[in-house]
Amino acid sequence: MLARAEATVLGLKDVLGPLVADFAARGESLYLVGGPVRDALLGRLGHDLDFTTSARPEVIQEILAAHSSAVWDTGIEFGTVSAQIAHQQVEITTFRADTYDGVSRNPEVRFGDSLDADLVRRDFTVNAMAVELLDDAASGFSCRFHDPLGGFQALVDGVLDTPDAPERSFDDDPLRMLRAARFVSQLEFRVADRVVAAMTEMAGQIKRITVERVRAELDKFMEGRAPWLGWDLLVATGLADLVLPEVPGLRMTPDEHLQHKDVYAHSMTVLRQAMDQEEDGPDLVLRWAALLHDCGKPATRAAKPGGGVSFHHHEVVGAKLVRRRMRALKYSKQMVSDVSQLVYLHMRFHGFADGEWTDSAVRRYVTDAGDLLPRLHKLVRADCTTRNRRKAARLQANYDRLQDRIEEIRQREDLAKVRPDLDGNEIMAVLGIGPGPQVGKAWSFLKELRLEEGPLEHDDAVARLKDWWAGQDDASGADA
């Protein structure tokens, strides 16, 4: 692992060599640090490189300006200057020796004078390793590995632990408790017992963190390769009760088929199966919908006569819960709309699973899903978690038939744009009315007609509109 990491870092000599030489010329040290070191050891170094240095921010800025026209200093008050050099995003920070007030997560910034003091203030030992970059005129630069806190062994053992006592680390910055879940999700590591104990005891400290920070961290671990492990940690420590109580609320709520320990276990399986269908990397909309698709079940649980339970309309209740929770976490309107709509629609298929899909039902399914249809396909398929192979095969075959019906109708008509056969101007011209509520009612009638019967010829649409309008007049007269 060390040899691989060294070869990876030295492979960047064209980008980093001149930078290392300039820091050395100023008598300053430069270290690759944190996540990039960890990732280099794991053989997956990306294009974001973090460094720490003895140089003060103004010196960093001067050196970077000589190597890049894209330099930004938005973090300079914290000792950080960033730049784009070739295809790498470089972030360099002066050694830090911060202190915290125990109220917010914002430190009182103090610049330090040693690498070890800088490393001990980091979140986890696997992120507290450094590679010193030494100027070498012959080869560009050479490397020296620094690991004063045992991060390498922790990486080999797959253990997440804090450099300092976890109580002190989490008191300094409670967001680190959510980061633990993120790294569990990304790396599939085991969390040290003392860290789990501290997270459980200090879970309430997460209230010091803004919802924007919480949301960002949740998204990062939801993008990991095993987010269910992150949720297991948050649920076990009580943190989930504070950041997203709908998730732990699924525990010990038996599903109606009694196929899983509880709805929580079922939801994690659905999340895993939805991820298996992703095509272009993590799809947060799909993942959130898979996780929360059954969050309405606890509120709708009812005993069935003769045994078992039901969850009638849990998709409606769940969609409302999703909207409320995601708004509280300050997600974008689009994100809230997309995830809640998938939750709302995920049971629609089951109303027709063993029956014949009429043209009208197919049109409504496609229209209600809109751009979310590909994700809805994946969510519904992922929601099949039965261990009964015959039943699972039947459900998947039924969904295959639905997709075939969608394609069959799509060949005949434009399912992507199911609109009334007459627009607002045509409606007003046919009925001889001006703008107002009646135009909207007429438009809704034609839209319903379009969904039910498909496209109509123009003259047929006009005739049907006139018939409807005459009925409206009759109804108005009767009311009068």
Side-chain angles (χ1 to χ4, degrees), residues 175 317 408-409:
L175 190 64
V317 173
E408 175 189 326
I409 296 175

Side-chain angles (χ1 to χ4, degrees), residues 283-306:
D283 182 341
L284 270 177
V285 171
L286 177 64
R287 292 188 181 196
W288 276 116
L291 175 72
L292 298 173
H293 75 288
D294 276 348
C295 69
K297 280 190 171 180
T300 57
R301 182 176 182 233
K304 288 181 179 180

Side-chain angles (χ1 to χ4, degrees), residues 203-216:
Q205 294 295 314
I206 201 64
K207 295 178 181 178
R208 290 163 47 192
I209 306 301
T210 65
V211 294
E212 292 88 350
R213 288 280 192 173
V214 169
R215 181 196 68 224

Side-chain angles (χ1 to χ4, degrees), residues 375-388:
R375 289 187 174 111
L376 183 59
H377 291 330
K378 294 172 183 175
L379 177 60
V380 174
R381 289 187 183 277
D383 196 24
C384 175
T385 60
T386 177
R387 291 190 291 268
N388 184 318

Side-chain angles (χ1 to χ4, degrees), residues 1-13 16 32 36 39-41 43-46 141 143:
M1 290 174 70
L2 286 169
R4 177 174 59 196
E6 181 178 15
T8 300
V9 175
L10 291 177
L12 297 172
K13 66 179 181 180
L16 300 182
L32 185 69
D39 290 344
L41 287 165
R44 59 185 199 189
L45 182 64
F141 67 91
C143 298

Side-chain angles (χ1 to χ4, degrees), residues 452-474:
E452 190 65 30
E453 300 184 17
L456 298 176
E457 295 293 335
H458 183 270
D459 290 347
D460 290 340
V462 169
R464 297 289 289 273
L465 176 62
K466 287 180 176 179
D467 288 344
W468 172 83
W469 183 246
Q472 298 296 299
D473 289 343
D474 291 344

